[in-house]
């Protein structure tokens, strides 16, 4: 019992001493700084994204590839955006790859391709005061007088943030291969023509094209500030443009190709109808996007939801990275003065 009590006392003293040491180490001198700028309305107008990587867990067709994107901000009234994505190759286009290796039909499998064009009207666009947490980095950390696991120092700076509530509207279109055999089995649909049913033991795929529109809302937070501490630290900045959104999607046009199959006995090309397949024309998505107000930077985005497609195969989760992102304020004018 005495041994347990002694260990308890020793551990308590060690924790207390460590806590006291940590608190004494955190006692810092106040930081003085010069504000270089703090204007969330003074941001670039055009952003062009090169996306070397996106990956999408789409129940219809898992895929990964590259993309392009663009954003254009029109004053404080609206902003417009465009996105394009395409699978890298057959090996990163799941259903297409399986179709090439196993399908018995004559249809050539589509590559996954997605396009969208839309805009956001600023229903409310206002600037408010807030506080920004700035991480302090100093070269002193490289000289051995800080533990490797030292928690980065930070300071809280009064700043401004621009909050934008938006109404979104746009159009989208995509094409993909679909696993017809699995979809037909899950929906308990028989694929047939006037002479009979498609052989159940054969793997089959087909292609799907979807065109539709989306409407929704968004919330954006925009900061554009920089400070210069008087000594010991470099210039600190926060210029993040962060947007979250919710869209409802509707696709009046969902086209599924009929199956073209050459009968091995007669040699005739037979056409099997896919019109019995059920589709779901409505969907939704939740998303987040972040980029920085710099001439050259990077951006990120993620979405999750249910996309219009064959019934039961709408779920998707998307992650995309843009690197690099080029941006400009499109102001190339220069003042001129007469001599």
């Amino acid at each position: 019992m005495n041994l347990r009590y002694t260990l308890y006392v020793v551990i308590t003293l060690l924790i207390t001493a460590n806590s006291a040491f940590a608190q004494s180490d955190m006692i810092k001198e106040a930081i003085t700084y010069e504000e270089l700028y703090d204007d969330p309305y003074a941001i670039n107008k055009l952003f062009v994204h090169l996306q070397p990587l996106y990956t999408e867990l789409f129940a219809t067709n898992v895929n990964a590839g590259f993309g392009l994107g663009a954003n254009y901000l029109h004053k404080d009234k609206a902003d417009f955006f465009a996105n394009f994505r395409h699978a890298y190759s057959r090996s990163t286009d799941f259903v297409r790859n399986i179709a090439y290796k196993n399908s018995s039909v004559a249809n050539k499998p589509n590559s996954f391709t997605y396009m969208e064009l839309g805009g956001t009207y600023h229903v409310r666009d206002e600037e408010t005061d807030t506080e920004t947490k700035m991480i302090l980095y100093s070269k002193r950390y490289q000289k051995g007088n800080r533990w490797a696991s030292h928690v980065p120092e930070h300071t809280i700076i009064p700043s401004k943030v621009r909050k934008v509530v938006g109404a979104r509207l746009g159009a989208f279109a995509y094409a993909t291969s679909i696993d017809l055999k699995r979809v037909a089995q899950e929906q308990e649909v028989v694929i047939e023509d006037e002479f009979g049913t498609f052989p159940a033991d054969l793997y089959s795929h087909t292609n799907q094209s979807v065109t539709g529109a989306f409407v929704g809302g968004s919330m954006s937070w925009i900061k554009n500030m920089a400070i210069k501490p008087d000594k010991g630290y470099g210039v600190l900045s926060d210029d993040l443009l962060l947007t979250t959104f919710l869209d409802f999607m509707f696709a009046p046009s969902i086209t599924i190709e009929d199956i073209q199959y050459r009968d091995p006995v007669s040699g005739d090309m037979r056409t099997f109808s896919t019109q019995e397949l059920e589709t779901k024309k409505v969907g939704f998505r939740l998303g987040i996007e972040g980029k920085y107000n710099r001439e050259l930077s990077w951006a990120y985005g993620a979405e999750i939801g249910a996309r219009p497609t064959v019934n039961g195969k709408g779920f998707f989760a998307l992650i995309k990275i843009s690197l690099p992102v080029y941006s400009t304020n499109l102001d190339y004018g220069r003042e001129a003065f007469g001599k």
Side-chain angles (χ1 to χ4, degrees):
M1 187 68 180
N2 290 335
L3 178 60
R4 290 183 178 178
Y5 179 77
T6 301
L7 288 174
Y8 174 79
V9 172
V10 171
I11 292 172
T12 302
L13 290 174
L14 288 173
I15 293 174
T16 304
N18 183 66
S19 177
F21 177 80
Q23 290 180 4
S24 64
D25 184 60
M26 292 175 64
I27 298 175
K28 310 295 180 184
E29 294 182 0
I31 294 176
T32 57
Y33 64 90
E34 174 190 358
E35 182 182 282
L36 301 180
Y37 58 84
D38 185 9
D39 187 355
Y41 283 91
I43 58 176
N44 289 335
K45 295 179 180 179
L46 177 65
F47 295 80
V48 178
H49 304 244
L50 301 179
Q51 295 172 354
L53 171 66
Y54 82 84
T55 181
E56 182 174 272
L57 299 177
F58 186 19
T60 299
N61 182 15
V62 176
N63 62 96
F66 65 92
L68 297 170
N71 300 93
Y72 173 72
L73 286 76
H74 179 64
K75 301 179 180 180
D76 60 349
K77 302 298 182 182
D79 60 84
F80 304 91
F81 55 88
N83 291 296
F84 169 83
R85 297 193 297 274
H86 191 278
Y88 284 129
S89 64
R90 198 174 74 193
S91 60
T92 61
D93 199 342
F94 186 75
V95 173
R96 181 182 174 218
N97 191 37
I98 294 177
Y100 265 104
K101 293 179 178 179
N102 303 287
S103 187
S104 303
V105 304
N107 303 60
K108 182 179 179 180
N110 280 344
S111 299
F112 181 87
T113 305
Y114 182 92
M115 297 175 287
E116 72 176 8
L117 181 66
T120 302
Y121 175 72
H122 296 184
V123 177
R124 187 176 69 189
D125 189 336
E126 61 184 14
E127 178 185 291
T128 61
D129 294 328
T130 186
E131 292 182 334
T132 297
K133 182 178 179 180
M134 300 290 232
I135 302 300
L136 302 174
Y137 177 78
S138 170
K139 293 183 178 180
R140 297 195 308 268
Y141 293 161
Q142 301 176 356
K143 297 182 180 180
N145 63 343
R146 292 288 188 274
W147 295 332
S149 60
H150 181 77
V151 177
E153 295 177 318
H154 67 273
T155 187
I156 304 297
I157 302 296
S159 63
K160 297 175 182 177
V161 63
R162 179 180 169 189
K163 297 180 180 180
V164 181
V165 177
R168 291 164 53 94
L169 179 66
F172 69 92
Y174 74 90
T176 184
S177 303
I178 64 174
D179 187 333
L180 179 62
K181 183 176 182 179
R182 176 173 295 182
V183 171
Q185 288 175 345
E186 292 178 357
Q187 295 188 8
E188 299 181 349
V189 172
V190 176
I191 304 299
E192 59 186 356
D193 66 0
E194 58 185 288
F195 302 107
T197 62
F198 186 85
D201 59 329
L202 298 181
Y203 178 84
S204 59
H205 81 279
T206 187
N207 297 315
Q208 176 182 253
S209 299
V210 180
T211 303
F214 60 86
V215 60
S218 65
M219 181 70 192
S220 299
W221 294 264
I222 301 173
K223 288 185 178 182
N224 186 38
M225 64 167 297
I227 63 169
K228 186 179 186 308
D230 287 346
K231 58 181 179 179
Y233 302 98
V235 173
L236 309 176
S237 64
D238 186 350
D239 55 356
L240 176 64
L241 288 72
L242 182 67
T243 299
T244 60
F245 59 87
L246 168 63
D247 290 334
F248 296 97
M249 311 173 77
F250 175 66
S253 174
I254 299 181
T255 303
I256 302 176
E257 285 185 3
D258 289 340
I259 297 300
Q260 303 297 318
Y261 173 68
R262 186 172 297 280
D263 193 307
V265 177
S266 65
D268 296 333
M269 186 68 74
R270 297 171 60 182
T271 299
F272 291 84
S273 174
T274 60
Q275 64 180 359
E276 297 299 322
L277 292 178
E278 297 180 9
T279 59
K280 192 162 188 178
K281 296 186 176 183
V282 296
F284 75 96
R285 62 179 177 179
L286 288 165
I288 183 171
E289 295 179 342
K291 58 182 179 289
Y292 297 88
N293 186 47
R294 303 170 194 174
E295 184 176 351
L296 185 63
S297 64
W298 69 288
Y300 56 87
E303 297 178 17
I304 190 170
R307 186 177 288 156
T309 182
V310 288
N311 195 32
K313 295 292 184 180
F315 172 81
F316 79 99
L318 166 71
I319 297 176
K320 56 185 178 180
I321 300 294
S322 299
L323 182 69
V325 175
Y326 300 94
S327 70
T328 174
N329 62 11
L330 297 177
D331 183 6
Y332 304 111
R334 301 180 65 178
E335 288 187 283
F337 299 93
K339 292 184 179 180

